[in-house]
């Protein structure tokens, strides 16, 4: 079991008041310790140290790995305050405590931050259900989600349903490594009803270089995070075809419009204004400027579609798979199932190009409104 | 006087019907023949040839110049169908007739397309007032506008007021040279009341590679075209400071938000949805990816603000001046006059950086919401 970290802040107020405060202070656990999870822990840890309404300690669940040196990842993190594997060179803060025991990590927390690959979430929920506090609140930072035939399986809903707790989301133009070195960035918290809780999440994440704001639109915020990867594939095709900035901007705009239309068809509560937030237009821009989806799609188009995405991913991503390609496939199934293919020419064309049924140049020919 | 071009289309219908049709056919004149004016003429000319509701001939007013060969620009255009000076290598269409005589060019037209540098418009209006058809309709493609202390002087209003005619606008992510080679692009027509007229403008401009749609929001569309240049300066600073894509996307998003807020403060009729159109988010993206404003601002930041914009413009733009720098100055005066400086941190900071009152890095420090 990981060591516990006692509050080290000293208060000028009386000891009795301190005890009372300690009882109502929130305890935060971050479930996940990859690249983004480590950066999230760093952001949170800098705030819990300074804000009296939180316990200093931030517990971070680490999926244990034995490193080539023979040492355990969680032990190195606790010794060096650094996630040497997923965020080397960045100090997380001394109040981040790595814990390889999932159940132990979540037991005392009333604020649970989920930031794992999306395919692990169902298993994690099964392991911790009934073992968390009754008053726990959750937030999901998980950008990928499964899109099933009948519609997307929202990770926030999965968490809410499986654990019986409320779940917000945090999305945005967030390249983890840029935030790790404290470059200015923004993010959006999506919440369902409880504005006070949303404000508390904002307080927990917001720093001088990471500006967070809250909107009452969980589904809108969460869908942005997934759908933008499909648009990034389209933008990559345009880059690979050397069609210029006009065309790229047009394709991004049409993509944003399809993101909005699709989200609103599935969830009529989704708000137009959400797409002006960091999770919307800003994340779309970041993903279409840099990002793996755009890059591999550019290579795909440069090769005239003659080398498959599987081949390019193997070569360019060291075995990782592109979110955008699989989301485009899942999305196509939804559109087809719902009879919406013609209403979403960009989404459907991206999939047809990815599987080789259309040439890359179709991204413009078939997407025109 | 320039030669006249007779309709060469033959109709299978009876001659009497042809005469009647000819009487109601619209006649188009393009006032302006620079880079964008020439591309606009090409777009229009391909449509008037195919659509029976327009006369084939597109008259294009040319500000006469004598080229180094001794030939007149208008004569070369009429001989070669090419604007050798401002759009070399592109055929405009045989039905484009260059006319150096402004009054003659506009006399018979009932559809006037204005596409000149904005500072010429007042003089042009003075020259043609009272010399145009009573039923003439106008559209402005002019992106720059003057922003006076009391607010922007909209070019569409100038045209409407001075000529006593209705004026729409057409804006969008429109890099003229990319449209000239028929790369896919979009544009937005803004209209005030007359939807039928807006549809006619759409018909006149829309081609398979230039997709135009209409929104009832003249001011919103027109303001996008001007304000985006200020945001592009901000984006250029971020590039010059090597702050990465996250920060750039955040600054672009904040810029879009200020564009929207400013436009709505000045004209409460401005619609949120306009900013999702090509004139909004797409034009902003194009301008912040490429574009002179972005490029010079990047150079400015790389030099730590030690070389002035005047100097950089002279070096990088062959004597042309940056729209964004002067718009930022004018905008600052409006904000200051109205007491809105604090509500528009990005707009005001761009100006302060341009004049050397703040360092380039302030674009992030001072812009945070």
């Amino acid at each position: 079991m990981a060591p516990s970290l006692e509050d080290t802040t000293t208060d000028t107020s009386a000891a009795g008041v301190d005890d009372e405060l300690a009882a109502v202070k929130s305890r935060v656990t971050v479930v996940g310790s990859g690249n983004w999870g480590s950066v999230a822990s760093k952001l949170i840890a800098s705030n819990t140290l300074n804000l009296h309404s939180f316990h200093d300690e931030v517990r971070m669940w680490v999926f244990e790995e034995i490193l080539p040196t023979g040492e355990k990842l969680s032990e190195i993190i606790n010794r060096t305050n650094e996630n040497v594997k997923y965020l080397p060179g960045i100090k997380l803060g001394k109040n981040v405590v790595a814990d390889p025991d999932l159940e132990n990590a979540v037991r005392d927390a009333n604020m649970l931050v989920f930031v794992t690959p999306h395919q692990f979430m169902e298993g994690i929920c099964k392991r911790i259900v009934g073992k968390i506090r009754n008053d726990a609140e959750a937030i999901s930072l998980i950008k990928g989600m499964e899109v099933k035939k009948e519609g997307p399986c929202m990770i926030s809903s999965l968490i809410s349903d499986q654990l019986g707790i409320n779940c917000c989301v945090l999305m945005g133009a967030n390249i983890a490594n840029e935030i790790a070195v404290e470059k200015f960035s923004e993010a959006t918290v999506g919440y369902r009803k409880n504005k006070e809780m949303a404000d508390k999440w904002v307080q927990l994440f917001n720093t001088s270089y990471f500006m967070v704001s809250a909107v009452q639109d969980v589904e809108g915020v969460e869908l942005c995070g997934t759908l933008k990867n499909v648009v990034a594939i389209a933008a990559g095709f345009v880059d690979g075809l050397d069609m210029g900035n006009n065309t790229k901007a047009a394709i991004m705009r049409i993509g944003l419009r399809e993101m909005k239309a699709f989200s609103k068809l599935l969830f009529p509560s989704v708000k137009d204004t959400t797409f002006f937030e960091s999770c919307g237009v800003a994340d779309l821009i970041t993903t279409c400027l840099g990002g793996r989806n755009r890059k591999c799609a550019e290579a795909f188009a440069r090769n005239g579609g003659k080398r498959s995405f599987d081949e390019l991913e193997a070569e360019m991503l060291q075995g990782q798979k592109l979110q955008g390609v699989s989301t485009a496939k899942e999305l196509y199934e939804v559109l087809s199932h719902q009879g919406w293919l013609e209403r979403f020419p960009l989404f459907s064309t991206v999939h047809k190009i990815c599987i080789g049924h259309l040439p890359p140049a179709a991204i413009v020919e078939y997407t025109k409104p």
Side-chain angles (χ1 to χ4, degrees), chain A:
Chain A
M1 188 181 296
S4 177
L5 183 91
E6 291 308 312
D7 265 12
T8 51
T9 47
T10 47
D11 219 315
T12 49
S13 54
V17 177
D18 271 3
D19 289 350
E20 258 175 64
L21 251 178
V24 295
K25 278 185 176 192
S26 292
R27 282 191 182 274
V28 184
T29 289
V30 177
V31 177
S33 54
N35 188 231
W36 185 210
S38 302
V39 175
S41 297
K42 174 184 189 267
L43 286 168
I44 293 169
S46 71
N47 282 326
T48 57
L49 269 190
N50 291 320
L51 299 169
H52 282 277
S53 49
F54 298 93
H55 278 280
D56 287 2
E57 180 188 298
V58 176
R59 200 152 278 256
M60 177 171 79
W61 173 59
V62 171
F63 180 83
E64 192 68 286
E65 300 181 46
I66 310 297
L67 297 188
T69 57
E71 220 176 344
K72 288 180 177 167
L73 180 57
S74 66
E75 287 172 3
I76 303 188
I77 295 174
N78 286 329
R79 183 166 54 78
T80 63
N81 298 309
E82 217 179 292
N83 186 336
V84 291
K85 178 146 185 194
Y86 297 106
L87 191 65
I90 304 291
K91 292 288 174 198
L92 301 181
K94 291 191 174 168
N95 50 331
V96 174
V97 176
D99 188 342
D101 180 340
L102 177 60
E103 290 175 33
N104 186 61
V106 299
R107 182 183 299 130
D108 296 329
N110 62 328
M111 294 180 82
L112 295 167
V113 178
F114 291 101
V115 50
T116 67
H118 71 98
Q119 59 272 26
F120 296 168
M121 268 318 297
E122 207 165 340
I124 287 172
C125 285
K126 282 192 178 132
R127 283 176 58 192
I128 64 174
V129 62
K131 293 163 184 167
I132 57 173
R133 279 169 60 167
N134 285 335
D135 64 344
E137 293 271 344
I139 195 166
S140 166
L141 275 56
I142 301 165
K143 283 199 177 175
M145 67 176 88
E146 275 165 76
V147 184
K148 298 183 178 165
K149 240 185 200 148
E150 45 298 351
C153 169
M154 315 290 285
I155 302 291
S156 64
S157 304
L158 176 83
I159 294 170
S160 266
D161 295 348
Q162 303 256 320
L163 301 180
I165 60 178
N166 185 38
C167 187
C168 292
V169 295
L170 181 143
M171 307 276 145
N174 301 149
I175 299 172
N177 288 328
E178 293 187 7
I179 301 165
V181 294
E182 307 192 359
K183 287 186 175 173
F184 175 62
S185 184
E186 294 185 302
T188 313
V189 162
Y191 68 98
R192 204 171 293 280
K193 279 186 194 141
N194 190 341
K195 174 76 166 72
E196 214 175 302
M197 193 60 217
D199 289 341
K200 198 155 184 194
W201 287 118
V202 169
Q203 217 186 5
L204 185 66
F205 280 95
N206 197 72
T207 71
S208 61
Y209 57 90
F210 191 72
M211 306 295 290
V212 187
S213 49
V215 299
Q216 190 174 6
D217 183 1
V218 171
E219 286 88 2
V221 173
E222 197 166 1
L223 277 166
C224 279
T226 292
L227 298 175
K228 57 123 207 259
N229 287 325
V230 180
V231 185
I233 299 269
F237 292 151
V238 174
D239 284 342
L241 295 162
D242 291 318
M243 303 191 77
N245 287 335
N246 257 7
T247 306
K248 186 169 177 179
I251 289 295
M252 287 167 68
R253 187 196 82 81
I254 293 169
L256 185 64
R257 195 186 53 192
E258 291 195 9
M259 286 167 60
K260 185 154 67 84
F262 181 78
S263 304
K264 290 175 79 167
L265 268 176
L266 285 183
F267 301 97
S269 64
V270 165
K271 294 174 180 164
D272 278 1
T273 48
T274 298
F275 297 82
F276 285 125
E277 297 294 332
S278 177
C279 63
V281 65
D283 195 11
L284 180 71
I285 291 170
T286 304
T287 314
C288 291
L289 291 187
R292 295 180 295 197
N293 288 288
R294 190 212 63 77
K295 194 173 141 194
C296 287
E298 181 182 0
F300 182 87
R302 288 211 186 280
N303 286 290
K306 291 196 185 73
R307 299 185 61 196
S308 72
F309 268 104
D310 282 341
E311 202 181 328
L312 292 165
E313 285 167 8
E315 186 178 299
M316 299 170 76
L317 303 179
Q318 290 87 39
Q320 278 189 287
K321 300 296 288 176
L322 282 186
Q323 202 80 56
V325 173
S326 57
T327 305
K329 180 175 180 288
E330 293 161 355
L331 205 50
Y332 190 88
E333 282 165 23
V334 180
L335 298 177
S336 165
H337 180 76
Q338 302 268 17
W340 294 343
L341 282 172
E342 286 183 11
R343 293 165 82 166
F344 296 92
L346 185 139
F347 286 166
S348 13
T349 303
V350 166
H351 173 60
K352 286 186 192 159
I353 296 172
C354 287
I355 59 169
H357 285 189
L358 285 175
I363 194 59
V364 167
E365 275 321 300
Y366 287 69
T367 288
K368 289 173 191 170

